[in-house]
Amino acid sequence: LRLKDYDGASDADTHVLEQRPNDQKALYRRGLARLRLGEMSDATDDFQTLLKNDPSMAPAIRKELETVCGVTAGGLHPPWADLFKGAGA
């Protein structure tokens, strides 16, 4: 992700997730890569799975969404705002 090779990061994390479907780091990284690639539906799926497994990730996900979407705290709209219902963020 640091190299901005979002396709490569997504592919690498997909490979990890094939072996370990609930790997939180891979879900987070792939979600971020997909978000940067504009693959919003797929990014949402990754973030929803991650939040189900670890609701404490909500602040980190929210920060990235706000950065990429160019909004301030509280300015996220569905489907993004819906991710955080019941997640404690």
Side-chain angles (χ1 to χ4, degrees), residues 59-81:
I61 294 170
R62 179 181 290 276
K63 180 181 175 189
E64 289 296 327
L65 289 171
E66 289 171 349
T67 299
V68 172
C69 296
V71 297
T72 58
L76 294 173
H77 299 285
W80 306 119

Side-chain angles (χ1 to χ4, degrees), residues 27-82:
L27 279 167
Y28 180 69
R29 287 174 37 89
R30 187 174 73 177
L32 293 180
R34 288 173 161 181
L35 181 65
R36 296 286 180 166
L37 289 167
E39 298 171 0
M40 302 308 189
S41 179
D42 291 331
T44 300
D45 291 343
D46 286 341
F47 292 147
Q48 284 175 333
T49 301
L50 181 59
L51 287 172
K52 273 191 239 175
N53 294 334
D54 186 0
S56 71
M57 289 297 297
I61 294 170
R62 179 181 290 276
K63 180 181 175 189
E64 289 296 327
L65 289 171
E66 289 171 349
T67 299
V68 172
C69 296
V71 297
T72 58
L76 294 173
H77 299 285
W80 306 119
D82 295 341

